[in-house]
Amino acid sequence: MKKWLPVGIIIGLLVIIGIWVVGIKNTALRFNQVTEKEWGNVNTSYQRRNDLIQNLVNTVKGAADFEKSTLTAVIEARAKATSITIDPKNISAEQLAQFNQAQSGVSSSLSKLLVSVERYPELKANQNFLKLQDELASTENQILTARTRFNEAVQDYNGYILAIPNSWFLGSYKEKAYFQAVAGAEKPVEVKF
């Protein structure tokens, strides 16, 4: 009986360690799934903005003899932004920077469009245009919230997979990148009337 006691202890320890390692991997998988879900929410918010921009452009086209270069810039920026796709399983800082730059182009051209609209009083009074403007403002807030939640999920994920001893067992899990502000975002916006 005594000769089987050390074997039983070793087997028991191996079972406990095995269960512990499985728990570590399952938790990492859960954190990874949360980051992918939050990335999907970011994409959904940007898609909503792109859909609204198309409606806004159509409303502006129909309501005013508008500057074609401004409308073309908005349409091109929107097309460029929708052409960039990122695999949520392999998000890198470079991919996020490229995605962020394209979305910044949309924001910039959209701002120019909205400033240009100030010269058209009949468009500013158009109820469809006003509703779309409000929807865009709401969507920008949704984008901010989605990006913030994504960064929080990435923080939890990275913190878990990089912590010791978890990192010893999670070599296949790679650190994910955070959303960063676009270069120049710290400068105040110049408003001209």
Side-chain angles (χ1 to χ4, degrees), residues 57-58 60-62 64-77 109 112-113 116-117 119-120 123:
V57 167
N58 290 339
V60 170
K61 275 183 187 176
D65 181 20
F66 212 71
E67 302 156 10
K68 286 193 182 239
S69 62
T70 304
L71 290 175
T72 303
V74 172
I75 292 167
E76 287 173 358
S109 61
K112 289 176 187 167
L113 173 68
S116 298
V117 163
R119 290 180 261 169
Y120 296 90
L123 184 58

Side-chain angles (χ1 to χ4, degrees), residues 9-22:
I9 290 174
I10 291 172
I11 291 173
L13 284 175
L14 289 175
V15 167
I16 289 171
I17 290 171
I19 291 170
W20 178 60
V21 169
V22 167

Side-chain angles (χ1 to χ4, degrees), residues 39-47 49-50 77 80-87 91-107 143 147 150 178-180 182:
W39 178 250
N41 292 342
V42 168
N43 275 335
T44 300
S45 296
Y46 278 117
Q47 182 61 50
R49 178 173 75 170
N50 288 333
K80 182 179 179 187
T82 58
S83 70
I84 296 175
T85 57
I86 295 177
D87 177 12
I91 295 175
S92 69
E94 295 80 24
Q95 289 174 322
L96 273 181
Q98 183 183 19
F99 181 84
N100 216 10
Q101 191 65 36
Q103 295 301 333
S104 175
V106 172
S107 297
I143 289 170
R147 287 175 58 156
F150 173 78
Y178 292 96
F179 255 112
Q180 302 290 329
V182 176

Side-chain angles (χ1 to χ4, degrees), residues 48 52 132-143:
R48 175 179 159 78
L52 287 170
L132 285 168
Q133 254 187 321
D134 289 344
E135 286 291 322
L136 274 171
S138 170
T139 300
E140 292 298 329
N141 288 333
Q142 288 176 358
I143 289 170

Side-chain angles (χ1 to χ4, degrees), residues 23-42:
I24 287 173
K25 290 196 178 256
N26 285 341
T27 302
L29 177 65
R30 182 174 50 83
F31 281 127
N32 189 45
Q33 293 296 314
V34 169
T35 60
E36 289 181 21
K37 177 191 76 118
E38 293 301 338
W39 178 250
N41 292 342
V42 168

Side-chain angles (χ1 to χ4, degrees), residues 96 146-156 177-180:
L96 273 181
R147 287 175 58 156
T148 301
R149 287 182 181 157
F150 173 78
N151 279 348
E152 290 168 354
V154 167
Q155 178 184 14
D156 292 342
Y178 292 96
F179 255 112
Q180 302 290 329

